[in-house]
Structures are given as structure tokens and as C-alpha cells.
Amino acid sequence: MAQRARPASHADSWYKGNPTILSEELEGNLEDVPSSINDKDLPIPGARVIIAPHAGYDYSGKCAAWAYKCLDLSKAKRVFVLGPSHTYYLDGSAVTTCGKYETPFGDLTVDRETLAQIKKDGGFKDIPFRNDVSEHSLEMHLPYIYKRMEQTFSSPEEFPVIVPLLIGDNNKQEEKEVGEILAPYLADPENAFVISSDFCHWGRRFDYAVYSPTAEIDRLEHLSRSDRRVQGRPIHETIKMLDQLAMDAIETGKHDSFFDNLKQTKNTVCGRHPIGVVMAALEEVGRQRGEEGKYKFKFVQYQRSGLVEDVHDSSVSYGAAYAIV
């Protein structure tokens, strides 16, 4: 029996639904990224793993382009897409029940066989269809993935299949266990990984309004709506500090460092669990190859939706990174 398709439910709202206009936008964003970064021509050979944001393209599309221009799909047979769940509380992790994911450019085929094996090995749940349709953390990457496949392969018949996964609320040990399940796939050069995450969500509507009058993390204070303690150092400098600490922890390549950083700061990195399990998987690949500490992310871009000056303001941060495996 044919598997149902997941519609492109956020087209014409979070991003352009017209394929011609959307293509021009994504190609323009990719062209705006330099042709080389850190003396490496793009795409970076072996950069099969990226972190990229999932907000509306008007906000995060340009930042996402930095990660996607680094992404090397030349050997890819499948692309894993890992995102957090925004539409329901997910204890553990889950796989899609859909056979295709629609985009304005065309459908991407889901690798049902690989998902079945992962579900069996890890005890993953099924994503309820209604939540799959309403979730944006996976969908926002599909047009960019399609575009990069289009730029890499000569026809859609050659396109890799996709492996959509939602990574839910896992503790440190559970993230390591999911990482162990994904490690063999990560070690395979025919697999690429896209990790969906925004960084700090600051503001009362996110229930996260912290401030430090200095550059010291232990001076963090929680601001109220009427708080007047913000003097001198602007709020957006605190947000930048929090995000930089999180990105520094990710760049160590140590899963524990990232997990412990967020435990300390409570930074609202919405894709912390997808990032965490892939960091754990990277560490596991390094151990298995006798190359511990080799596989690390490198951030190439950091942007924000706005610079917060007032306690009533809000912002969301975006980061783009790649890892060579």
C-alpha cells in the first residue's frame, strides 16, 4: 500500500510557495555566501553534517545558506534530517510514517527501510501524522536540501532519499544511546546529516529573559516585565555571550560539554537534543576509528532576528555549522 505524502504545509507562509520565486531566493542566498571559508572551497569535501536554523526564510534563510553551501552531498545516497518537536511533547525520539515529503520543487522520497531499522533498534515511536504536518523543524530544511541536490545531481532520479527523525526530550545518557544507534549511519560516507536548530529564544514570550551586567556567566539575572536593572551593557550582548558559550561547547566535540553548558545557562537552544545526539554519534565514530576528538563542528555564521535593547523586546538567534566526517 502506498505511503501517504506529507504536504508542504508551511509553503506560502514561512517561505515562498511559488517554485520559481523560491528558487531565485535560495539560489541568491547561496550565491551571497563566499566561495571559500577558512581556506576551504565550498562545498567542503567530507562536510556531510551541518547545523542550520529552521525559522521562516525571511529571518533565517540567509544564515541557513552558509551551512548548506558547506554541505557535501557528492556521495550521498540518503540524507538524515533531525529536528526537535514543537507541536507535542515527545519523550524519546520518533520517525515519520510518511513515504514522501512534498516541497514546492517536487517530492523527496522517504527511506522507509532505514527508518524501520532505526525504529526497531532504538525503540523510536511514530510521529502522529497531524503533528508531522504541523511541525516546521524538518520542513524548513527540505527546500534547501532539494536545491542542493539539484545542484549536485543531474536529475531527480539520482536524488538521495531522506530519513526524517524527531529527537525529543532525552537526558544525557539517553542522548548518548541514540548517538550510538546513529553512529554506524554517520560513519557511512553515503549518508549526510542535517540538524535543525535555532539558538537563543529571548523574551518574555519564550519565558527566557536573562541578563548579565558583565561578561560573566555567573552574574545572570532573570528580568521581569518592569525590570530596570538593564544599565550600560545592552541585553543583546548577554544573548551573544550565551550563544557563543553554547557554540564553543559544540565546537569542543564533547557531548558532555554541550549538555553541561545548557544545564548551567538554560539557554533556549530548541534543537539541543538533535545536536546532542549527533555530537554523541560523532564521538562514538571517533572512538571506533581510534580517532577520539577528531570529528567536531565548526561554526561559520551567527545571526539574530534583532538586537534586543529593552526587556519588552524579543529575538531568536541562528547559527550555521559543518562537520567533516
Side-chain angles (χ1 to χ4, degrees), residues 82-126:
L82 285 71
S85 175
H86 293 87
T87 67
Y88 73 111
Y89 177 74
L90 174 58
D91 180 16
S93 302
V95 304
T96 186
T97 61
C98 298
K100 292 184 181 296
Y101 271 40
E102 296 177 356
T103 84
F105 303 133
D107 295 347
L108 291 172
T109 300
V110 173
D111 184 349
R112 299 295 309 160
E113 184 177 345
T114 296
L115 282 178
Q117 188 63 53
I118 290 173
K119 181 180 177 182
K120 177 182 177 182
D121 293 342
F124 286 21
K125 305 175 179 71
D126 287 335

Side-chain angles (χ1 to χ4, degrees), residues 22 26 30 57 68 73 79 101-109 141-153 155-157 159-160 162:
L22 180 61
L26 299 191
L30 290 166
Y57 286 170
Y68 277 101
L73 293 177
V79 178
Y101 271 40
E102 296 177 356
T103 84
F105 303 133
D107 295 347
L108 291 172
T109 300
H141 291 279
L142 304 182
Y144 262 119
I145 290 171
Y146 196 105
K147 178 55 61 177
R148 288 293 292 113
M149 287 181 181
E150 198 174 58
Q151 294 176 343
T152 305
F153 301 95
S155 71
E157 288 72 27
F159 284 7
I162 61 170

Side-chain angles (χ1 to χ4, degrees), residues 138-263:
L138 302 178
E139 179 181 344
M140 296 306 296
H141 291 279
L142 304 182
Y144 262 119
I145 290 171
Y146 196 105
K147 178 55 61 177
R148 288 293 292 113
M149 287 181 181
E150 198 174 58
Q151 294 176 343
T152 305
F153 301 95
S154 54
S155 71
E157 288 72 27
E158 299 177 12
F159 284 7
V161 291
I162 61 170
V163 184
L165 302 170
L166 285 185
I167 308 299
D169 192 8
N170 296 273
N171 61 33
K172 183 189 287 189
Q173 183 56 38
E174 289 166 340
E175 286 187 1
K176 292 183 187 302
E177 291 169 0
V178 176
E180 289 178 2
I181 292 167
L182 296 180
Y185 299 99
L186 191 60
D188 185 341
E190 293 186 342
N191 294 326
F193 279 71
V194 172
I195 303 134
S196 177
S197 183
D198 296 335
F199 278 74
C200 185
H201 298 60
W202 197 98
R204 304 308 309 178
R205 65 192 183 100
F206 301 118
D207 196 29
Y208 189 73
V210 298
Y211 173 70
S212 175
T214 70
E216 300 172 23
I217 195 65
D218 58 3
R219 295 287 304 277
L220 280 180
E221 307 167 355
H222 291 270
L223 302 178
S224 67
R225 293 183 183 277
S226 59
D227 221 308
R228 301 187 181 281
R229 286 178 290 173
V230 180
Q231 297 179 0
R233 182 178 170 85
I235 294 172
H236 62 77
E237 287 295 331
T238 293
I239 296 170
K240 182 179 180 180
M241 175 182 68
L242 290 165
D243 284 329
Q244 190 62 59
L245 288 170
M247 292 187 291
D248 287 347
I250 292 170
E251 287 188 335
T252 67
K254 298 177 181 177
H255 170 243
D256 286 354
S257 294
F258 178 55
F259 193 96
D260 294 344
N261 166 261
L262 296 188
K263 185 177 180 180

